[in-house]
Amino acid sequence: MAADITKELSPLPDRTPEPAFSADELVWTAAEQEQMEVYKKRYPTNDGAIMRGLWLAQDKYGWLPPEVIRLVAETLEVPYAQVYGVATFYTQYFKERKGKYVLDVCTCFSCQVCGGYDMLHHLEEKLEIHVGETTEDGLFTLQEAECLGACGSAPMLQITNGSYLHNLTTKKLDTLIDGLREGKRVPFVSVTLPQDADDLDGNRRSDVKATDTYHAPPVAKTVK
Amino acid sequence: MPKVTIDGNVIEYEGREKLLQLCLDDGVELPHFCYHPSMSVPANCRQCLVEVGMPVKNRETGALEVDENGDPVIRFFPKLQTGCSMDVSDGMVVKTHRTSDLVKRAQKDNLEFLLVNHPLDCPICDQAGHCPLQIQAYKYGPEGSRFEFRKVKKPKRVKLGPRVMLDAERCINCTRCVRFTDEISKSHQLTIIARGVKNYPMTPPGMEFDDPYSMNTTDICPVGALTPANTRFQARQWEMAPTPSITTTNAKGANCFYWTRDNLIMKITPRQNLQVNEYWLPDEDRLVLDQFNNNRPEGPQVRADGGLQASTWDAATAAAADLLDAVDGSEILFVGSAYATVEDNYLLTKLASALGAATPVYLSHVETGHGDDWLRTDDRTPNTQGCERLGLTRTDAATLQAQLEEGAIKLVYVLEDDLVASGLAAGALDGVSVILHHYNTTNATLPAADVALPAAMVVETVGTFVSEDGHAQRVRPAKAIKGINRTLMMETGKSRTDMHGTPFDRWHNESHQVDCQPSWETLPAIAALLGHPMSYKGPKQIMAEVAANHDAFAGATYDAMGLEGVRLEEIGEAV
Ligand code: SF4
Ligand code: FES
Ligand code: FES
């Protein structure tokens, strides 16, 4: 008899997760249900509304465990597998529980040479976690992100799929973290490109109050 | 008719066709992975790139522009086009790798990309030998790779469902498997998860890939990412020889190949027949290897000294003839079988009428709710229609039991069925002689048999089955039996010539040959001893007689049935 050379089978990844939400929690409010109907009507077929639906669900539950993904699928009457595929495609959909504030520090090329890693490491030390982890108080999750399209104001970070924080310095980060710990959000500051300084009153974003202008970017410690 | 020119050859076509399909239909080979004729066209593998151009028309006059030689001027698309998604149109000019270095280069580079993270573990991969990626990399691919960094790791040896194994590293993300569950089986159990180099097909959490048709994904997966779990590591592709036949798990008559090595059936795969099963086979049809290979009888047996004793074919047929001779025709109950071929059942009816017995009955094996309106049917036998069309009387175990209890029956002759397992109380056969043609030693009627005659199964015989839809199809022997039978030898497909005389030649060894006989050989032998000679050269002649004498089988000759079968006229009542 030949030796058994077969290796052990790998189990399917997260096959039988413990549900994070009970059946009672997995219901939409009337307003949410109505919103879902609006999304459904917006597209020729319901699968067009998957991304909207997932977004709404993430707003409500904070993240997307399998049972929430299934709820979205059932609401939209599209296959669960398809919705799961979409949810796993985008990192902005959280498949694990995250902190209240998810800090996406850009460490892609431009930010990297301007100190993206310096910012990241500063936050790691300040929050006493490694990148990818969540603080014990459940307040912060620290992540690395690829280019978020704001290279002109590098280094930068994004807060929970939302507003950007530009022209980062360690001081700015300290203010941000200390503020958030006390429940205070730092106001969003739009960065105006030099060529806009004269036009548009120096503010491209008419919807934001605070603006800043272009600075000569800092240089990463390792580059210096 | 509209025309396209492919590599200088003019091809006429009809209707709206995709370029790749046109090439395939016309025998112009084009490498491809993601395209499948029965599913949507995502054009994601990029392997079928070709140069495509259209003749230039003068904008004002609409006339074709010609060059100085009088040939039409062709304007080519600036980029290569995917043949699978390209609609052909009249006058189109196509250059494949046969005439275009650009296309050749594209195919090579594309394969290099597809192989960047592919593990290249062909030596231990079940797909090796029939792997489109392997074949096409060999034919069109680069000799090496410029990607020399560490490959991306993904889950391996994942049991995606009870019958399908996944090796995500081998996947090229063609999405054929996903499209199969979305568009064909409609179970929607698979999706591609994650993105970029990290993606692979998976079920969503809490769901198993247990689609009753799940194993079709292992056929259409163009790499070794999805492989059947039941035949994993059992045989290399080149060790097996395929025989075109049909499956007998249900009444659909789905076309298949039986793959044989050393006279064992190693695997069962679908065979294309657009009239019956298209490209597909239900999982249940593939999981029946065991019944062909194991618990097979070792030659005929005759009851002596209170038990079944091994015998010879001559002695056993003589014993059967003696038993039949000892009773009056009216005391014999012939039980035909929806598992047996038309030929065998036909000979049984002839024997019954020669002996003056009633028309044979047959047991129906219907499992209500099992069917699905696709390739699985409620009927779990392959030949109910064949029995009906021959005029056999349908019965069930309870009716049989009542009949036996009346006491008028002295002998039961069972053709390839199992009365006890079908619900007949074993005691009902006490005091009745039983002659039994059986497939397996697990046949529960065997302990009651006086003469046991091992019968050749679908993989060992030649014969005809009629599907639920009235499709008459013939089967061919996929493996050799012990006895020497000229018809079977002639019908057994030859091995590939390059295997002739090698260990992979299917004639090479005699191991695992079962000592059984086709019933169309056993029945005439018994009939002859009883003075009712049935002289047929073989099942082909039997079937020709059936087709000639029974309207319900009109046209069902071997030549007409060929490989894809013949659709018979509908008869009044079906199952
Ligand atoms: S597993 Fe096979 S069929 Fe499915 S996407 Fe990958 S390569 Fe294609
Ligand atoms: S590199 Fe950081 S925003 Fe572009
Ligand atoms: S077959 Fe055309 S892109 Fe895959």
Side-chain angles (χ1 to χ4, degrees):
Chain A
M1 187 66 196
D4 183 15
I5 52 158
T6 53
K7 290 198 187 172
E8 250 181 65
L9 305 185
S10 322
L12 289 177
D14 45 58
R15 283 304 84 182
T16 46
E18 269 296 310
F21 297 100
S22 67
D24 293 346
E25 292 169 285
L26 291 171
V27 282
W28 303 113
T29 63
E32 288 159 350
Q33 184 68 48
E34 203 173 304
Q35 185 61 57
M36 283 296 224
E37 293 306 318
V38 172
Y39 291 152
K40 274 202 245 177
K41 284 204 198 81
R42 192 178 291 175
Y43 304 94
T45 50
N46 281 2
D47 44 8
I50 292 177
M51 294 186 65
R52 289 284 179 185
L54 284 172
W55 207 243
L56 188 101
Q58 182 158 307
D59 266 353
K60 177 179 168 86
Y61 296 102
W63 62 297
L64 299 172
E67 62 274 19
V68 172
I69 296 178
R70 204 188 270 271
L71 173 69
V72 173
E74 278 160 14
T75 313
L76 297 175
E77 295 154 59
V78 288
Y80 169 39
Q82 191 182 354
V83 182
Y84 180 67
V86 174
T88 56
F89 187 90
Y90 297 97
T91 49
Q92 286 90 340
Y93 292 128
F94 302 145
K95 274 76 64 186
E96 302 97 48
R97 200 190 289 277
K98 304 265 174 175
K100 183 163 181 209
Y101 304 106
V102 180
L103 306 177
D104 278 310
V105 183
C106 176
T107 55
C108 200
F109 185 72
S110 310
C111 289
Q112 193 175 119
V113 293
C114 298
Y117 276 112
D118 299 340
M119 298 304 125
L120 187 73
H121 295 152
H122 180 79
L123 282 174
E124 282 185 317
E125 272 159 34
K126 185 163 178 75
L127 298 172
E128 295 177 332
I129 52 171
H130 286 111
V131 61
E133 293 174 352
T134 301
T135 51
E136 255 168 42
D137 57 8
L139 220 44
F140 300 102
T141 300
L142 187 57
Q143 300 187 147
E144 261 182 280
E146 296 306 328
C147 182
L148 291 163
C151 317
S153 48
M156 56 79 67
L157 66 73
Q158 183 182 26
I159 306 163
T160 327
N161 295 335
S163 57
Y164 283 11
L165 197 56
H166 298 279
N167 296 322
L168 290 181
T169 58
T170 49
K171 223 180 107 213
K172 245 190 203 176
L173 290 178
D174 290 344
T175 324
L176 170 76
I177 300 297
D178 297 341
L180 288 177
R181 279 190 175 141
E182 283 159 28
K184 278 187 291 188
R185 300 197 72 137
V186 290
F188 173 64
V189 181
S190 170
V191 176
T192 303
L193 297 172
Q195 61 266 39
D196 288 345
D198 305 329
D199 309 331
L200 306 165
D201 257 351
N203 188 358
R204 204 185 254 272
R205 292 274 305 267
S206 52
D207 58 331
V208 279
K209 299 258 152 41
T211 62
D212 193 0
T213 47
Y214 174 80
H215 300 279
V219 178
K221 277 191 211 150
T222 41
V223 178
K224 264 187 241 171
Chain B
M1 242 196 276
K3 296 179 182 64
V4 281
T5 310
I6 299 176
D7 296 329
N9 303 317
V10 179
I11 295 178
E12 296 191 335
Y13 70 95
E14 261 176 301
R16 256 170 71 95
E17 280 228 56
K18 296 287 184 200
L19 180 54
L20 175 60
Q21 188 61 51
L22 181 86
C23 288
L24 298 178
D25 292 346
D26 242 80
V28 180
E29 195 217 338
L30 264 192
H32 63 280
F33 296 110
C34 67
Y35 177 77
H36 191 282
S38 66
M39 301 193 285
S40 59
V41 182
N44 64 23
C45 76
R46 316 308 288 175
Q47 193 57 45
C48 64
L49 291 171
V50 284
E51 276 192 77
V52 178
M54 288 300 290
V56 182
K57 278 194 186 129
N58 187 303
R59 274 181 196 263
E60 266 116 60
T61 64
L64 289 184
E65 281 184 19
V66 290
D67 61 13
E68 57 270 25
N69 301 327
D71 296 330
V73 179
I74 305 297
R75 187 179 293 134
F76 279 88
F77 281 89
K79 293 258 169 82
L80 298 180
Q81 302 293 316
T82 48
C84 61
S85 61
M86 171 62 70
D87 287 313
V88 287
S89 65
D90 196 17
M92 186 177 267
V93 176
V94 179
K95 291 197 212 165
T96 72
H97 54 281
R98 292 170 187 85
T99 49
S100 161
D101 285 338
L102 195 62
V103 173
K104 227 187 247 174
R105 178 65 203 273
Q107 292 176 345
K108 193 180 260 186
D109 289 351
N110 196 53
L111 277 161
E112 192 177 0
F113 270 126
L114 287 177
L115 292 171
V116 167
N117 285 306
H118 190 86
L120 293 173
D121 54 351
C122 311
I124 57 134
C125 177
D126 272 341
Q127 183 87 339
H130 62 141
C131 174
L133 183 61
Q134 190 183 41
I135 294 165
Q136 294 180 43
Y138 181 72
K139 284 176 88 167
Y140 306 106
E143 271 169 31
S145 177
R146 285 165 288 180
F147 295 86
E148 286 173 354
F149 39 79
R150 200 172 281 182
K151 299 199 176 207
V152 173
K153 291 262 177 286
K154 293 187 199 178
K156 291 178 88 74
R157 306 180 298 280
V158 181
K159 206 151 186 215
L160 210 47
R163 299 172 291 277
V164 176
M165 296 293 302
L166 166 73
D167 183 319
E169 288 181 356
R170 294 180 187 150
C171 172
I172 60 167
N173 281 291
C174 71
T175 69
R176 271 183 172 187
C177 53
V178 177
R179 280 177 284 142
F180 175 82
T181 63
D182 279 344
E183 300 168 18
I184 309 289
S185 76
K186 306 233 164 57
S187 68
H188 303 286
Q189 288 182 334
L190 292 180
T191 183
I192 301 282
I193 62 162
R195 149 168 62 107
V197 292
K198 299 205 180 81
N199 61 0
Y200 54 88
M202 188 40 71
T203 57
M207 195 184 268
E208 244 199 330
F209 186 37
D210 57 1
D211 186 327
Y213 292 85
S214 66
M215 294 170 83
N216 288 293
T217 59
T218 68
D219 305 319
I220 57 174
C221 178
V223 298
L226 298 174
T227 50
N230 68 325
T231 56
R232 191 165 179 251
F233 301 152
Q234 296 299 304
R236 306 317 313 258
Q237 184 70 8
W238 53 89
E239 300 168 346
M240 299 179 283
T243 303
S245 188
I246 66 165
T247 61
T248 53
T249 320
N250 50 48
K252 199 68 195 183
N255 287 212
C256 73
F257 284 111
Y258 289 108
W259 293 83
T260 319
R261 183 186 66 189
D262 296 347
N263 295 311
L264 290 176
I265 304 296
M266 302 307 293
K267 85 176 168 182
I268 302 169
T269 58
R271 179 166 65 89
Q272 181 180 331
N273 185 339
L274 295 180
Q275 294 182 76
V276 182
N277 55 317
E278 295 178 306
Y279 313 87
W280 320 116
L281 213 55
D283 291 3
E284 64 178 25
D285 282 7
R286 308 169 189 242
L287 303 174
V288 291
L289 304 172
D290 200 49
Q291 67 181 27
F292 301 129
N293 299 334
N294 298 325
N295 298 319
R296 297 300 303 278
E298 286 164 19
Q301 290 170 304
V302 175
R303 185 165 298 276
D305 309 330
L308 280 174
Q309 308 292 339
S311 179
T312 62
W313 282 100
D314 283 345
T317 33
D322 287 346
L323 286 177
L324 287 163
D325 215 14
V327 291
D328 186 64
S330 61
E331 296 167 330
I332 310 173
L333 174 66
F334 281 94
V335 183
S337 169
Y339 294 113
T341 62
V342 170
E343 290 83 340
D344 297 338
N345 279 301
Y346 175 69
L347 293 187
L348 192 75
T349 54
K350 279 194 84 166
L351 181 62
S353 82
L355 296 178
T359 314
V361 296
Y362 76 95
L363 281 167
S364 99
H365 296 274
V366 170
E367 201 182 307
T368 314
H370 181 83
D372 60 3
D373 282 339
W374 189 19
L375 299 179
R376 298 157 73 216
T377 59
D378 283 353
D379 188 354
R380 305 305 306 273
T381 59
N383 205 18
T384 301
Q385 276 274 326
C387 292
E388 285 289 322
R389 284 167 189 261
L390 281 172
L392 271 63
T393 318
R394 191 184 325 166
T395 188
D396 54 39
T399 317
L400 272 188
Q401 178 135 356
Q403 209 174 340
L404 286 167
E405 276 162 9
E406 277 169 25
I409 300 296
K410 298 266 157 34
L411 190 155
V412 181
Y413 194 113
V414 186
L415 181 78
E416 306 178 24
D417 207 333
D418 189 342
L419 304 188
V420 173
S422 310
L424 185 78
L429 293 168
D430 287 348
V432 179
S433 305
V434 176
I435 302 172
L436 174 69
H437 292 228
H438 65 308
Y439 296 141
N440 293 101
T441 51
T442 46
N443 189 310
T445 311
L446 198 54
D450 295 291
V451 179
L453 302 161
M457 300 185 75
V458 60
V459 293
E460 289 148 337
T461 193
V462 174
T464 307
F465 292 95
V466 185
S467 80
E468 188 174 87
D469 309 308
H471 207 69
Q473 307 184 88
R474 51 171 302 213
V475 299
R476 295 163 179 75
K479 68 205 228 10
I481 57 173
K482 256 209 188 103
I484 295 180
N485 181 297
R486 221 175 139 251
T487 311
L488 291 183
M489 303 227 332
M490 300 219 319
E491 289 281 347
T492 307
K494 293 289 164 285
S495 289
R496 276 169 33 192
T497 42
D498 60 339
M499 291 179 171
H500 195 75
T502 72
F504 305 133
D505 186 333
R506 80 168 87 193
W507 292 106
H508 179 75
N509 75 51
E510 296 180 350
S511 52
H512 306 117
Q513 289 181 350
V514 178
D515 192 359
C516 60
Q517 264 186 4
S519 294
W520 47 255
E521 194 180 346
T522 315
L523 284 165
I526 295 173
L529 292 176
L530 292 168
H532 302 289
M534 303 177 179
S535 53
Y536 294 104
K537 282 207 205 86
K540 180 172 181 171
Q541 205 188 357
I542 304 174
M543 200 56 209
E545 185 177 305
V546 175
N549 295 344
H550 284 263
D551 284 348
F553 288 98
T557 61
Y558 274 25
D559 291 335
M561 282 187 279
L563 282 167
E564 301 215 318
V566 163
R567 190 59 61 124
L568 301 177
E569 286 288 336
E570 252 177 64
I571 52 165
E573 182 213 14
V575 185

